[in-house]
Amino acid sequence: MQIIDGKAVADEIKKEIALEVAEIKASGGKTPHLVAILVGNNGASETYVANKVKSCQELGFNSTLLRFDPSITEAELLAEVQKVNDNDDMDGLIVQLPLPDHINPDKVMETIAPSKDVDGFHPINIGRMAKGLPAYISATPQGVLDLLAYYNIETSGKHCVVVGRSQIVGLPMSILMQRNTKIGNCTVTLTHSKTKDLPAVCASADILIAALGRAEFITAEYVKEGAVVIDVGLTRVEDPTKKSGFALKGDVKFDEVAPKCSFITPVPKGVGPMTIVSLMKNTLLSAKKVIYQ
């Protein structure tokens, strides 16, 4: 069993991005600029956005954090998104989820210009990804692809089971793993809450990607010997032994599952660091106008 060290891979990619940004600046090119919109005071969202801002600083990007009170109306928020769309200096825009109940997240995502949708959530980017056209790929699925590539894990002809059908991870992950690309060419099964005999379906997987958001749901019975297990989950679980009062758990019961695997990602320091790096890569692509001219 080999542990997939997402943090080490992310650090390596960050160095490459930082070097490229330094070269762009030295030649008088445009500094990548990422904008984050944060509505309200959700603790987890605060942490996620702070990590993204920190990564921008480390890589030499410009960053802007726009904070809004949870009482902001949907129309007001959409107007703020449009302001970023219209600002040529701002390359990428992320709106941190979740949003207050009175704001429709789909409306917000559809208002973001596809050329600045570095989260890869806009229907146009999802559609372009599905067709194999140049697009911003959702950060977490892209991070998974990069990990599989880094560790030279064979995917062609393998059976990949994705647990969870969210539009952010599960759905795009299933599309990407079946594409005719080097990391792809899998036979993919996308499972969800209505899937019958889920343990048996999962246990047939050569590559199992857990993205359902339920702490330690995947136990040994879900995994066959020698499988590659990618744990996308990240849930805060109360833990009085921790100074913070909580521990971070993945969707996979690591200690029970790991001995059966050929490769496995831990939580934390697995897929999580790669998600932020993928976001930075998309922002750099936007600044360079690689995807949209």
Side-chain angles (χ1 to χ4, degrees), residues 261-278:
C261 302
S262 56
F263 292 89
I264 186 170
T265 58
V267 174
K269 300 182 180 180
V271 175
M274 296 297 295
T275 297
I276 293 180
V277 165
S278 298

Side-chain angles (χ1 to χ4, degrees), residues 72-129:
I72 188 173
T73 67
E74 181 176 273
E76 288 170 339
L77 182 58
L78 296 181
E80 294 296 337
V81 168
Q82 192 58 49
K83 287 179 185 178
V84 177
N85 288 343
D86 295 337
N87 189 326
D88 291 338
D89 181 60
M90 296 174 169
D91 302 301
L93 170 61
I94 59 171
V95 178
Q96 187 63 46
L97 302 177
L99 292 167
D101 291 341
H102 64 279
I103 297 176
N104 183 337
D106 288 333
K107 271 192 179 180
V108 175
M109 297 307 155
E110 290 173 20
T111 301
I112 298 172
S115 61
K116 298 191 178 187
D117 168 42
V118 290
D119 258 335
F121 294 163
H122 194 286
I124 287 178
N125 278 315
I126 294 172
R128 289 174 66 91
M129 175 201 68

Side-chain angles (χ1 to χ4, degrees), residues 182-219:
K182 184 175 180 181
I183 301 299
N185 284 313
C186 287
T187 298
V188 179
T189 301
L190 179 61
T191 68
H192 44 76
S193 60
K194 300 297 188 292
T195 299
K196 293 182 179 179
D197 201 3
L198 183 60
V201 175
C202 292
S204 70
D206 301 305
I207 302 171
L208 180 63
I209 301 175
L212 67 159
R214 292 180 61 182
E216 299 188 324
F217 180 88
I218 302 295
T219 56

Side-chain angles (χ1 to χ4, degrees), residues 131-167:
K131 286 182 64 65
L133 298 172
Y136 297 121
I137 295 173
S138 300
T140 298
Q142 181 61 61
V144 171
L145 296 183
D146 288 344
L147 286 176
L148 293 171
Y150 186 89
Y151 280 85
N152 293 311
I153 294 172
E154 181 61 53
T155 61
S156 182
K158 302 296 184 181
H159 181 205
C160 174
V161 173
V162 180
V163 187
R165 55 182 169 182
S166 76
Q167 294 183 30

